[in-house]
């Protein structure tokens, strides 16, 4: 099964398709395949979709008015949309909805921030304490490594002094047995050899250089020894500083090397929270302005709705009086809400009192199937020029009426059909005769299988079927003449 709709002038359907990337030129093709096993597949513009999506887009394209359908006429939301469309309030209604969404977003953010601000007090106190503690410590980048090296140096001065002293003794200061005096003695002995050879000369030169290097080493050790001055006070100061750093790191469950970065992070977190609290006042002001704009816009919408609903109710009541409900009173109530919503300050509801002396009650509660179809027809006739749904289906709208009222119904349907596509299922000739086109629906049973056949009727066939509705299966010249007269009168109207 498939159906093709022209949606070039259907804003709601076009937007729905666009939002889901399903648009295709000016047409919308709906298709559903049901297999013998009972499985089904749905398509929108030849793209697979969920059955729920097919139903949703269908609600923008077809409105069914019948005795046993869940009709949009009974939904308060549809009634509100109908009143707004009739009053030319769609633009204002959309602005209210958009403004409401903007305000609600600000309000939700504000409430979340207010909730967070209560929890943040303890967080601010903790961060403030931690930052102050790190600021008092005042650890600088690279300081830890320098302190550790200094502490190691100060702690090993005594040992270094002892070892430098011992080294100097071995090199030059020990009487008779130091390395320098032994080398001097060796050089003197070698130099006294009478037979001179290159090898001997080389050995003497090397010993002489060694003596010079030992003297230089002794000088370097002396200079180093001059720097080895023990400073217990400084050592204690360095060790205390390191102890403070290590203790603070353990307290914050981090390493000493990460303390500087931790201080920067905690400071940034504290500044962010304090800054967000300062921005809270700005957000409050924006939320108040947004709410004021929303209420002003919603108030204007209420005022316009009050005017539109009175005019609509009066016109609909006039229509249904001509549809066999002469005493019916049709009203449109605007029930005030406790607070503004995306749809304004009120809830729209259609009310009907079918008989004199009865209080008006919601349409969904009191209208019978036939009454509901006729009331719906009356509403559609009035609102046809503003309806956004291009295809209307009226199923058995002629139930409970006959004669002149049936002809009125037919004329109404024809009037609505000049502004959109109308399908009407009827068994009354007075209604059927008003149609621009006629389709004959027949059931056929073949080998225990039932099917429906739809045939397009042309001029002669139309006359025959209208006559059949008038006179039954046996056609007479009188019924055929009456049928031709009815069809002819339609063209003269």
């Amino acid at each position: 099964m498939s159906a093709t709709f022209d949606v070039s002038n259907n804003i709601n359907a076009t937007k729905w398709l666009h939002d889901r990337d399903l648009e295709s030129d000016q047409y919308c093709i709906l298709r559903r395949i049901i297999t013998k096993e009972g499985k089904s597949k749905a398509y929108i513009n030849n793209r697979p979709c969920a059955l729920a999506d097919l139903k949703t887009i269908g609600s923008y394209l077809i409105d069914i008015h019948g005795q046993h359908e869940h009709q949009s006429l009974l939904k308060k939301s549809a009634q509100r949309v109908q009143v707004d469309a009739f009053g030319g309030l769609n633009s204002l209604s959309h602005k209210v909805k958009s403004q409401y969404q903007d305000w609600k977003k600000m309000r939700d953010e504000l409430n979340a921030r207010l909730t967070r601000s209560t929890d943040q007090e303890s967080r601010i106190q903790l961060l403030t304490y931690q930052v102050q503690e790190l600021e008092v410590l005042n650890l600088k980048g690279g300081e830890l490594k320098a302190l550790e090296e200094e502490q190691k140096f100060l702690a090993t001065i005594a040992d270094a002094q002892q070892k430098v002293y011992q080294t100097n003794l071995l090199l030059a200061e020990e009487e008779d047995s130091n390395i320098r005096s032994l080398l001097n003695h060796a050089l003197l002995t070698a130099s006294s050899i009478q037979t001179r050879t290159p090898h001997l000369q080389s050995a003497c030169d090397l010993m002489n250089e060694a003596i010079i290097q030992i003297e230089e080493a002794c000088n370097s050790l002396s200079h180093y020894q001059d720097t080895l001055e023990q400073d217990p006070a400084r050592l204690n100061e360095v060790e205390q500083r390191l102890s403070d750093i290590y203790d603070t790191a353990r307290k914050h469950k981090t390493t000493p090397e990460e303390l500087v970065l931790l201080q920067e992070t905690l400071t940034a977190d504290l500044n962010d929270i304090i800054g967000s609290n300062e921005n809270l006042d700005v957000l409050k002001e924006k939320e108040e302005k947004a709410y004021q704009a929303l209420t002003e816009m919603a108030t204007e919408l209420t005022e316009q709705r009050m005017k539109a609903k009175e005019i609509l109710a009066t016109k609909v009541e006039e229509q249904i009086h001509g549809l066999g409900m002469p005493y019916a009173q049709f009203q449109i109530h605007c029930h005030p809400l406790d607070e503004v919503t995306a749809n304004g300050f009120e809830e729209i509801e259609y009310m009907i009192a079918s008989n004199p002396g009865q209080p008006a009650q919601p349409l969904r509660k009191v209208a019978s199937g036939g009454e509901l179809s006729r009331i719906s027809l009356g509403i559609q006739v009035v609102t046809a020029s503003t309806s956004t749904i291009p295809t209307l289906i009226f199923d058995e709208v002629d139930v409970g009426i006959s004669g002149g009222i049936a002809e009125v119904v037919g004329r109404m349907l024809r009037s609505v059909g000049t502004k959109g596509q109308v399908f009407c299922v009827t068994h009354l000739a007075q209604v059927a005769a008003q149609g621009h086109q006629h389709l004959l629906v027949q059931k056929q049973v073949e080998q225990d299988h039932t099917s429906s056949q739809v045939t397009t009727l042309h001029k002669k066939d139309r006359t025959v079927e209208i006559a059949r509705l008038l006179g039954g299966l046996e056609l007479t010249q009188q019924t055929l003449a009456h049928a031709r007269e009815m069809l002819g009168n339609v063209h003269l109207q």
Side-chain angles (χ1 to χ4, degrees):
M1 298 178 290
S2 66
T4 302
F5 298 86
D6 184 346
V7 295
S8 56
N9 296 320
N10 192 326
I11 298 175
N12 292 332
T14 302
K15 184 178 184 304
W16 190 92
L17 291 169
H18 175 75
D19 291 344
R20 290 154 183 82
D21 196 25
L22 292 172
E23 69 269 3
S24 177
D25 299 326
Q26 69 184 79
Y27 296 104
C28 176
I29 302 174
L30 306 185
R31 184 159 56 100
R32 188 180 180 194
I33 300 174
I34 302 177
T35 64
K36 294 181 180 180
E37 294 76 18
K39 297 180 179 180
S40 69
K41 296 180 180 180
Y43 299 86
I44 299 175
N45 286 331
N46 295 321
R47 276 168 275 187
C49 68
L51 185 59
D53 287 340
L54 197 68
K55 292 181 178 179
T56 300
I57 186 61
S59 68
Y60 294 119
L61 302 172
I62 301 176
D63 199 6
I64 299 176
H65 302 270
Q67 296 185 67
H68 307 294
E69 300 292 338
H70 296 288
Q71 304 142 28
S72 64
L73 179 64
L74 299 181
K75 300 175 183 177
K76 293 180 182 179
S77 59
Q79 294 169 3
R80 183 195 69 251
V81 170
Q82 203 167 52
V83 170
D84 288 346
F86 176 78
L89 305 177
N90 285 339
S91 177
L92 180 58
S93 177
H94 290 158
K95 288 180 180 178
V96 169
K97 180 174 291 187
S98 177
Q99 182 64 30
Y100 175 84
Q101 291 171 345
D102 291 343
W103 166 74
K104 187 174 183 297
K105 184 178 180 181
M106 290 184 192
R107 186 193 63 178
D108 293 344
E109 183 180 353
L110 179 60
N111 290 337
R113 292 274 295 277
L114 289 173
T115 301
R116 287 200 305 267
S117 64
T118 301
D119 299 334
Q120 284 174 345
E121 288 301 323
S122 57
R123 176 66 174 163
I124 290 174
Q125 292 179 4
L126 175 61
L127 286 174
T128 301
Y129 172 77
Q130 291 176 326
V131 169
Q132 288 177 349
E133 187 176 43
L134 291 171
E135 287 177 347
V136 170
L137 183 65
N138 195 27
L139 181 63
K140 306 297 182 182
E143 181 185 358
L144 178 64
K145 183 178 180 181
L147 286 171
E148 289 176 337
E149 291 177 353
E150 185 179 3
Q151 188 269 342
K152 184 178 180 181
F153 174 74
L154 292 173
T156 59
I157 283 179
D159 181 64
Q161 288 176 330
Q162 178 65 28
K163 289 179 178 178
V164 168
Y165 174 73
Q166 292 176 348
T167 303
N168 273 328
L169 287 179
L170 291 173
L171 288 175
E173 295 182 3
E174 184 73 26
E175 294 182 1
D176 300 330
S177 61
N178 62 71
I179 295 174
R180 186 175 59 181
S181 62
L182 291 175
L183 276 173
N184 280 324
H185 182 70
L187 178 58
L188 182 61
T189 302
S191 298
S192 64
I193 298 175
Q194 296 297 319
T195 304
R196 308 293 294 178
T197 65
H199 292 293
L200 177 60
Q201 185 60 43
S202 176
C204 291
D205 292 342
L206 289 174
M207 286 186 284
N208 189 55
E209 290 177 5
I211 293 170
I212 295 172
Q213 289 179 351
I214 288 174
E215 290 177 349
E216 291 178 354
C218 289
N219 290 333
S220 295
L221 286 173
S222 297
H223 289 304
Y224 175 66
Q225 190 172 25
D226 292 340
T227 65
L228 299 177
E229 182 179 354
Q230 296 188 44
D231 190 348
R234 176 56 184 168
L235 176 60
N236 183 66
E237 181 182 341
V238 170
E239 290 180 341
Q240 183 60 50
R241 176 66 173 163
L242 287 172
S243 178
D244 292 341
I245 293 173
Y246 297 149
D247 290 344
T248 303
R250 282 193 296 271
K251 188 173 183 179
H252 289 274
K253 297 181 180 180
T254 187
T255 63
E257 292 79 8
E258 296 293 328
L259 283 177
V260 174
L261 179 60
L262 177 63
Q263 181 179 350
E264 294 174 354
T265 302
L266 295 179
T267 301
D269 291 345
L270 180 60
N271 291 335
D272 287 343
I273 296 176
I274 294 175
S276 66
N277 287 342
E278 291 175 352
N279 294 332
L280 195 60
D281 293 335
V282 176
L283 182 58
K284 285 181 181 178
E285 184 178 354
K286 287 184 178 180
E287 185 271 340
E288 290 172 357
K289 289 182 178 179
Y291 183 75
Q292 182 179 356
L294 170 62
T295 54
E296 290 175 357
M297 209 176 292
T299 300
E300 181 183 354
L301 179 60
T302 298
E303 294 173 354
Q304 296 297 326
R305 278 175 175 169
M306 297 301 289
K307 296 176 183 178
K309 65 104 174 176
E310 292 298 333
I311 298 174
L312 177 59
T314 300
K315 290 188 175 183
V316 171
E317 190 172 290
E318 291 174 356
Q319 294 292 335
I320 62 179
H321 283 174
L323 291 171
M325 300 175 66
Y327 303 108
Q329 294 182 349
F330 182 79
Q331 302 172 7
I332 302 176
H333 284 192
C334 291
H335 302 292
L337 300 173
D338 294 334
E339 59 182 13
V340 68
T341 68
N343 300 313
F345 275 122
E346 59 281 324
E347 190 176 63
I348 304 293
E349 186 167 26
Y350 289 170
M351 311 288 286
I352 188 74
S354 301
N355 301 302
Q358 292 181 342
Q361 296 187 53
L363 186 62
R364 55 191 170 83
K365 291 185 177 180
V366 298
S368 64
E371 289 176 335
L372 184 59
S373 294
R374 280 176 278 169
I375 294 169
S376 173
L377 178 60
I379 293 173
Q380 292 300 332
V381 169
V382 175
T383 62
S385 60
T386 58
S387 175
T388 60
I389 300 178
T391 301
L392 306 176
I393 298 177
F394 292 89
D395 185 11
E396 304 289 353
V397 294
D398 49 19
V399 172
I401 61 175
S402 60
I405 300 300
E407 186 173 347
V408 172
V409 170
R411 291 178 181 177
M412 286 185 175
L413 289 172
R414 187 177 180 87
S415 175
V416 176
T418 62
K419 300 181 177 71
Q421 188 176 46
V422 174
F423 288 92
C424 177
V425 180
T426 182
H427 294 91
L428 289 182
Q430 293 91 335
V431 175
Q434 299 290 332
H436 293 87
Q437 300 180 47
H438 290 89
L439 303 173
L440 176 64
V441 182
Q442 295 175 305
K443 286 186 178 180
Q444 295 181 339
V445 180
E446 296 180 359
Q447 298 180 352
D448 298 328
H449 178 71
T450 304
S451 62
S452 296
Q453 182 177 358
V454 181
T455 306
T456 301
L457 299 180
H458 299 290
K459 185 174 181 180
K460 182 180 178 181
D461 295 329
R462 292 172 66 178
T463 303
V464 171
E465 292 304 324
I466 295 295
R468 200 184 305 281
L469 290 176
L470 287 169
L473 294 176
E474 295 183 6
L475 300 181
T476 65
Q477 292 300 320
Q478 289 180 329
T479 55
L480 287 170
H482 190 186
R484 283 192 290 268
E485 180 183 5
M486 292 179 66
L487 290 169
N489 288 339
V490 170
H491 297 295
L492 294 175
Q493 294 172 4

